[in-house]
Every structure is written in structure tokens, then in C-alpha cells.
Amino acid sequence: MGRSPCCDATGLKRGPWTPEEDQKLLDFIQKHGHGSWRSLPEKAGLQRCGKSCRLRWINYLRPDIKRGNFSLREQKTIIQLHALLGNRWSAIASHLPKRTDNEIKNYWNTHIKKRLAMMGIDPSTHKPVVAALGSANGADPKKVSNLTHMAQWESARLEAEARLVRESSKLRQYDHQPGLPGPVPTLQLKKIASRLGAPRCLDILKAWQRVQLESMVIDNNGFDQGSNNLDSPTSTLNFLQNPRASSTNIASFQSNEALFTACQDMEFEGGEAWNMGTCNIGDEDSIKWFSNLLFNGCESDHFVQSNLDNDGNNGSNDAGVLSEDDEHNNYWDDIFDLVDCGHNI
DNA sequence: AAGAGGAGCAACCGCGATTGA
DNA sequence: GTCAATCGCGGTTGCTCCTCT
């Protein structure tokens, strides 16, 4: 399939944008919305193809873009999400407010990838190069299998969530500033809008984090740590042979409204993300490890608040959150811990 | 001071997915 | 159901600036 490049037409300008072109594009979109990118350049008086205009707007001119250095929190989040999602930059970007996929991709390729490589970590597998050869060094194959399933499941889940975020952000275009016409919503988007109500981005991440916190509190208080086998209400996720964390986790999981509704929405929307396969979780370490990998970047007993605050933004002043200095000090330790985690599986 | 090489990043390209006639 | 147009994503390129020799 595919199609010929949209910039084949002669006379269209290419290369770096001039400030005048930026201003034209900005003015036009602020007045009329972008509508069809294909027809925008002509209407805006630009000698560019629509694709080039779209790219310039999305990656540079859009007002809600944060530019400049990536904070340590953002770097950590990128590494963790990349471990789960791979090179799905748009999915990763949806979890980093105000950052574009292109910017994250560039940052990964120019900074993080190199640093990981220098530390002997394979950037694609997030494991030490030596250990990347497999679990031959004593790891329990069952555990490896379980975690692989979990990783696949989690990856799909995050991707589905990213899609929701994208759709929600599309919908927000129709909740735009007065005076801005904006594009006409498609039938499908209208349907999604009626189903979703307000955008519910990052609910799952926050919910998972709360579940983890709650389960640890219960554990610490010596509460019931029974061994009931419980099935996830909406998925084929089975918490088996899990004496402590599984029951408490699942109980919290089930009672967590935000997580529940978000999951239901995902199943409603995509289905596959939640039901992509049976995920047998062998023991509590698996869950703990995985959650810590996702939110803390390490398998340790101390609980560290998520990278994301309650607004879904980076940075937080909540109790329990490391200060920026502490985080700086621990940053590379966390990376090494992350590697250790990978090593353990 | 000047050239070489490297790093960073904006922009382009090709392709799959989606949309709508 | 089909197909052309369009969108959006990920990989790649190439330009600019910086550092080193």
C-alpha cells in the first residue's frame, strides 16, 4: 500500500521553517483551526505541504508544548515506559504531559540510549548485556514466563490507555477556546465522547499505584493475608498461588473505582488490551517486582511515590515523594536497581 | 585559528491505519 | 464493500552548533 509523498509537487518549500512561516501557520490555526492539513498550506499562504505544516505545528508551534531539558522524573518515566512499550513513542508521550513523541524519540536516541549502553545495559531489552542472553543463570523459568505475560499484558494496557488519552485530547479540541472553530468531530469521536465523559487519562497508573500502597499498608499491619484465588473481574488475569499480595492487591484492585472504570472503558473500547491472554501470576514477588519496575524503577521494600502526581503531571509535592536532590542522588542507583530487577527474571 | 568529528535536533520519508464518499 | 484521500507513527536523514585537536 502506501502512497506517494505529499511533497512531490514542485514549488513547495522544504527544510527549516522561517519565523515568517511559523507566524503564518500560527495565525491561521489560531483563527481557523487546522481542519484539513492537506488544504491548509494554500489557505494559509504557505508554500509547504500539509504534512510539513502538521509536523511543524505538532512538534514546535503548538502552545501546550514544554521545551527544554528533560527532568530526572521525565527521564525515569521514559526509561520505565520504554521497557514496557518499546519504541511506541506516541504511547510514551501520552504519559509525559507537554512532550512530543518526536522530542522523546530524539532524547532517547541521543541521550538515554547512549547512557544505558555505556552502563552495559541493552537499551532495547533493558537488561545487562551479559544477562540478556536469557534466564540460563538460575532464574525460574516459570517466573520468567509469568513476567513475560505480565509485561505483554501491561504493555498492551498502557498502549490502550495511550489511545484513550489521544482520543480524549482530540475531544478536548472541541472544548476549545471561544472563537476557535476547530475541526468538525467525526461520528466515531462523538460516540467516544458520549461514552467517556470527561477525559480520564492516567487513571490506571494512579490506581495501580494506590493499590500497591494499600496492599503494603495492610501487609505491614499484619492484616488478613489469606490465600484465596481470585479472578480479575474483567480480564482473564488470574492471581494464583499468591499467599499475600495477590489477595490484598486484588481486593484493593476491585474496590478501586478509578481503576475499575478505566478498565471497563478499555475493555469497551479495545477489548484486546484487557483480554489479550491469560496472565498467570506465580507469586507475590512477581507483582511487587512488576509494580516497582513500573512506578519505582526498582525492586526494593521502600515505597516511593509514583512519577506522576494526581494531576497526571510530572513532579509532585506529596508526602513520600523524594525531593529533586534526593532523586538526583538516587537516579542512577535506581537504574542499576532496575537492571537488577531485569537480571532477576 | 581552522578543520574534523561528534552531538543534538528539526524535518523528511515511507508505510500502515483510518476515514468517508 | 471498495478505494482514494488523509492522518499519524516510527525510522532516518541532514543541517547546525559545539568540542577537540
Side-chain angles (χ1 to χ4, degrees):
Chain A
M1 225 175 95
R3 64 194 184 96
S4 56
C6 65
C7 316
D8 274 355
T10 53
L12 290 184
K13 196 176 168 217
R14 298 177 57 190
W17 281 64
T18 64
E20 291 75 25
E21 287 177 311
D22 282 346
Q23 198 55 52
K24 275 186 183 177
L25 182 58
L26 204 54
D27 288 346
F28 183 86
I29 291 178
Q30 279 175 347
K31 279 181 190 165
H32 307 99
H34 62 70
S36 163
W37 287 111
R38 184 79 169 189
S39 57
L40 182 146
E42 195 182 344
K43 291 178 189 169
L46 288 161
Q47 302 289 4
R48 296 270 182 175
C49 69
K51 207 170 184 175
S52 179
C53 293
R54 178 184 156 270
L55 210 63
R56 186 64 179 170
W57 170 255
I58 287 174
N59 289 333
Y60 198 82
L61 295 176
R62 234 173 46 190
D64 58 337
I65 287 179
K66 180 164 108 185
R67 307 194 66 80
N69 292 339
F70 282 74
S71 69
L72 290 169
R73 272 181 205 288
E74 286 174 314
Q75 294 177 37
K76 207 169 159 182
T77 303
I78 291 170
I79 292 171
Q80 290 169 1
L81 287 172
H82 187 272
L84 287 168
L85 296 168
N87 293 355
R88 296 188 182 93
W89 304 115
S90 65
I92 293 172
S94 69
H95 292 285
L96 287 160
K98 302 185 178 183
R99 295 291 189 182
T100 68
D101 53 354
N102 200 44
E103 197 177 11
I104 292 169
K105 179 173 59 178
N106 281 333
Y107 192 77
W108 174 266
N109 285 328
T110 55
H111 293 87
I112 300 175
K113 203 172 168 180
K114 283 178 193 167
R115 274 188 281 173
L116 289 177
M118 278 172 61
M119 293 163 62
I121 303 168
D122 183 342
S124 54
T125 63
H126 292 255
K127 292 176 183 173
V129 174
V130 177
L133 292 173
S135 56
N137 34 3
D140 178 4
K142 196 175 168 187
K143 196 172 178 181
V144 170
S145 171
N146 286 338
L147 287 171
T148 303
H149 276 118
M150 287 182 72
Q152 287 174 347
W153 171 78
E154 185 64 13
S155 172
R157 188 186 63 71
L158 281 170
E159 207 176 347
E161 189 188 329
R163 195 170 66 241
L164 275 177
V165 172
R166 279 201 299 276
E167 283 164 353
S168 298
S169 63
K170 276 183 193 171
L171 292 170
R172 275 193 290 271
Q173 289 178 5
Y174 312 117
D175 195 19
H176 55 72
Q177 309 89 321
L180 272 184
V184 178
T186 63
L187 202 62
Q188 188 179 345
L189 282 176
K190 286 176 184 168
K191 285 181 191 169
I192 296 167
S194 65
R195 288 210 309 265
L196 284 178
R200 195 188 285 111
C201 51
L202 298 170
D203 269 0
I204 291 186
L205 287 173
K206 286 183 283 183
W208 184 299
Q209 172 195 337
R210 274 201 297 275
V211 166
Q212 194 62 20
L213 177 60
E214 285 164 13
S215 76
M216 294 187 76
V217 169
I218 291 171
D219 283 357
N220 289 339
N221 290 337
F223 284 176
D224 173 42
Q225 293 164 358
S227 56
N228 297 335
N229 291 339
L230 291 169
D231 291 332
S232 166
T234 54
S235 75
T236 53
L237 188 70
N238 296 314
F239 288 75
L240 302 170
Q241 309 161 17
N242 196 341
R244 298 193 311 151
S246 65
S247 57
T248 50
N249 268 324
I250 257 309
S252 308
F253 183 94
Q254 285 176 316
S255 65
N256 191 303
E257 190 186 340
L259 179 55
F260 233 105
T261 51
C263 293
Q264 284 168 342
D265 274 346
M266 270 208 304
E267 183 175 37
F268 190 55
E269 178 58 30
E272 312 85 355
W274 203 237
N275 292 309
M276 63 173 290
T278 301
C279 180
N280 295 322
I281 298 171
D283 54 39
E284 69 177 295
D285 289 344
S286 301
I287 292 180
K288 220 166 197 175
W289 173 85
F290 195 77
S291 294
N292 278 324
L293 173 64
L294 178 60
F295 292 112
N296 309 331
C298 59
E299 182 182 13
S300 60
D301 290 335
H302 67 277
F303 181 79
V304 182
Q305 183 69 289
S306 161
N307 297 326
L308 303 162
D309 65 21
N310 291 334
D311 296 318
N313 296 322
N314 289 299
S316 169
N317 294 320
D318 294 343
V321 179
L322 291 177
S323 72
E324 198 71 22
D325 285 344
D326 290 337
E327 186 179 35
H328 194 168
N329 292 336
N330 294 335
Y331 177 60
W332 290 108
D333 287 344
D334 284 346
I335 299 285
F336 281 119
D337 285 343
L338 184 67
V339 172
D340 288 342
C341 296
H343 192 76
N344 288 339
I345 63 170

